[in-house]
């Protein structure tokens, strides 16, 4: 049993279909190899300890639109310290700039970047991360300003606490009142003595007359 093709080769639609298939088969390899087989990695330096790079296609220098899979490794000149592997992230607002989210400590580092996708690429460079001085703190005054509420102490005066309100003076003794009281006391004493004396004299006179009458 024979089957008829969907588009006969001799028809106009058949020729068009074959042309599109052949054109697509040729166009895909050309587009795939338009940028080349490798990527170019340029380590531009560091920004506040972040490793910065520029990654483009090797052949035409175009920016890579795809996500880049790369690792960053750093080693000190004597090999005693190593940092990484870290990955690269795209810089905001840049098409070719990539940097690390991690920060290198101050010192000299030999940095290597290896790209595995979308194509292979490699870059190396020695960078130096400077020591950042801390921000200067606000100047501390050497001596506190004198209090405005405390009055200045006069020269030669003691620095003892000053009472807010002085105590009222004690009432002075009244010499006139004391003299009047003492005078009255003397007068009453003298008058009493005189009355007693007169009473005694009168009693003596009455006693004598009584005795004289009895005789």
């Amino acid at each position: 049993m024979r089957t008829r093709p969907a588009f006969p080769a001799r028809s106009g639609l058949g020729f068009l279909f074959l042309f599109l298939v052949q054109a697509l088969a040729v166009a895909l390899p050309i587009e795939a190899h338009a940028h080349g087989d490798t990527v170019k990695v340029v380590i531009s330096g560091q920004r506040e300890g972040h490793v910065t790079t520029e990654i483009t296609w090797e052949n035409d220098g175009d920016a890579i639109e795809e996500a880049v899979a790369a690792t960053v490794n750093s080693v000190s000149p004597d090999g005693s310290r190593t940092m990484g592997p870290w990955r690269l992230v795209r810089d905001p607002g840049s098409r070719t700039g990539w940097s690390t989210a991690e920060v290198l400590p101050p010192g000299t580092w030999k940095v290597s970047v290896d790209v595995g996708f979308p194509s292979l690429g490699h870059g190396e460079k020695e960078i130096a991360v400077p020591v950042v001085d801390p921000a200067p703190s606000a100047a501390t005054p050497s001596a506190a300003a004198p209090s405005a509420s405390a009055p200045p102490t006069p020269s030669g005066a003691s620095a003892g606490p000053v009472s807010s309100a002085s105590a009222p003076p004690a009432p002075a003794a009244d010499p006139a009142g004391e003299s009047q009281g003492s005078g009255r006391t003397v007068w009453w004493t003298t008058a009493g003595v005189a009355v007693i004396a007169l009473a005694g004299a009168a009693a003596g006179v009455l006693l004598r007359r009584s005795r004289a009458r009895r005789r």
Side-chain angles (χ1 to χ4, degrees):
M1 181 178 181
R2 297 180 179 179
T3 58
R4 294 181 179 181
F7 300 99
R10 296 182 180 181
S11 65
L13 292 177
F15 283 112
L16 179 61
F17 177 76
L18 293 176
F19 174 77
L20 291 177
V21 170
Q22 294 176 359
L24 184 61
V26 174
L28 287 177
I30 293 176
E31 184 179 359
H33 295 283
H35 296 298
D37 297 336
T38 58
V39 296
K40 181 180 180 181
V41 181
V42 177
I43 301 175
S44 55
Q46 61 86 29
R47 181 177 61 249
E48 297 179 355
H50 302 274
V51 179
T52 57
T53 63
E54 295 287 335
I55 301 178
T56 57
W57 288 106
E58 181 74 31
N59 289 354
D60 52 17
D62 288 346
I64 300 176
E65 303 297 338
E66 300 92 333
V68 172
T71 56
V72 180
N73 289 278
S74 304
V75 60
S76 60
D78 57 0
S80 60
R81 294 188 299 170
T82 59
M83 305 295 290
W86 297 337
R87 68 186 186 92
L88 287 174
V89 294
R90 191 186 297 271
D91 289 335
S94 175
R95 298 184 60 195
T96 60
W98 299 76
S99 60
T100 60
E102 296 81 4
V103 178
L104 284 174
T108 303
W109 300 90
K110 183 179 180 181
V111 181
S112 61
V113 177
D114 291 285
V115 180
F117 181 84
S119 291
L120 299 179
H122 179 78
E124 290 184 359
K125 185 177 181 179
E126 186 173 276
I127 63 175
V129 180
V131 178
V132 179
D133 295 332
S137 59
T140 304
S142 58
S147 176
S149 59
T153 304
S155 177
S158 61
V162 179
S163 176
S164 60
S166 60
D174 188 1
E178 292 182 358
S179 61
Q180 290 178 1
S182 60
R184 291 177 181 177
T185 303
V186 173
W187 185 85
W188 280 109
T189 305
T190 305
V193 173
V195 170
I196 293 173
L198 290 176
V205 172
L206 294 175
L207 181 60
R208 288 176 184 175
R209 287 181 180 180
S210 175
R211 289 179 179 178
R213 290 176 181 177
R214 290 179 182 177
R215 290 178 182 176

